[in-house]
């Protein structure tokens, strides 16, 4: 069982930056950030696997960076040049298995066994 606790959401104007954090109680080979906007499905935006490979959705590529501090058991999502369309609840998620991860377009919510409570990000124009 891995518990995930996110923090760092908030309100920012377009062009601004935020950094989300996710503290994990245990290890997972495959860590990710998903987001869900009102009326839309939850989508994967960034994935980090145990080898350090990263994957991003096209809508955030070049603006968001996923990283991990293993000493602190913390996953981060640095979000720069935020746009109003980035407004959503952001979730940290982790898989239960070891040694396997997903590319951004193959990842679905059912692939991830553990989820944080979500943190709201609101970007105003």
């Amino acid at each position: 069982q891995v518990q995930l606790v996110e923090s760092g959401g908030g309100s920012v104007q377009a062009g601004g930056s935020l950094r989300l954090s996710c503290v994990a109680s245990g290890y997972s080979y495959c860590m990710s950030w998903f987001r869900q906007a009102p009326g839309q499905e939850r989508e994967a935006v960034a994935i980090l696997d145990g080898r350090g490979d990263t994957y991003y959705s096209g809508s955030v590529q070049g603006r968001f960076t996923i990283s991990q501090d293993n000493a602190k058991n913390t996953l981060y999502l640095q979000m720069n040049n935020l746009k109003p369309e980035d407004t959503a609840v952001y979730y940290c998620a982790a898989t239960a298995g070891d040694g396997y991860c997903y590319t951004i377009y193959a990842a679905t919510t059912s692939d991830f066994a553990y989820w944080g409570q979500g943190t709201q990000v609101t970007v105003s124009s």
Side-chain angles (χ1 to χ4, degrees):
Q1 189 84 5
V2 176
Q3 294 183 328
L4 304 170
V5 179
E6 302 112 334
S7 62
S11 296
V12 65
Q13 289 191 328
S17 298
L18 285 173
R19 188 178 78 160
L20 306 183
S21 300
C22 171
V23 179
S25 65
Y27 170 79
S28 173
Y29 183 83
C30 186
M31 300 289 295
S32 65
W33 289 97
F34 279 71
R35 69 184 180 188
Q36 187 167 20
Q40 298 188 18
E41 294 186 355
R42 197 171 296 188
E43 63 171 352
V45 296
I47 295 175
L48 173 67
D49 71 18
R51 299 187 309 174
D53 292 335
T54 57
Y55 306 90
Y56 298 94
S57 68
S59 60
V60 308
Q61 179 78 47
R63 300 187 298 120
F64 290 12
T65 303
I66 188 171
S67 63
Q68 190 169 36
D69 185 334
N70 291 325
K72 296 181 179 180
N73 284 340
T74 302
L75 182 75
Y76 300 102
L77 185 67
Q78 178 66 43
M79 305 184 294
N80 298 329
N81 190 22
L82 282 160
K83 303 176 180 180
E85 51 264 42
D86 295 319
T87 296
V89 178
Y90 284 72
Y91 298 88
C92 175
T95 60
D98 190 14
Y100 188 80
C101 198
Y102 303 89
T103 60
I104 199 73
Y105 295 110
T108 65
T109 55
S110 61
D111 295 323
F112 293 82
Y114 307 114
W115 291 84
Q117 80 284 1
T119 186
Q120 176 71 46
V121 171
T122 302
V123 185
S124 58
S125 58

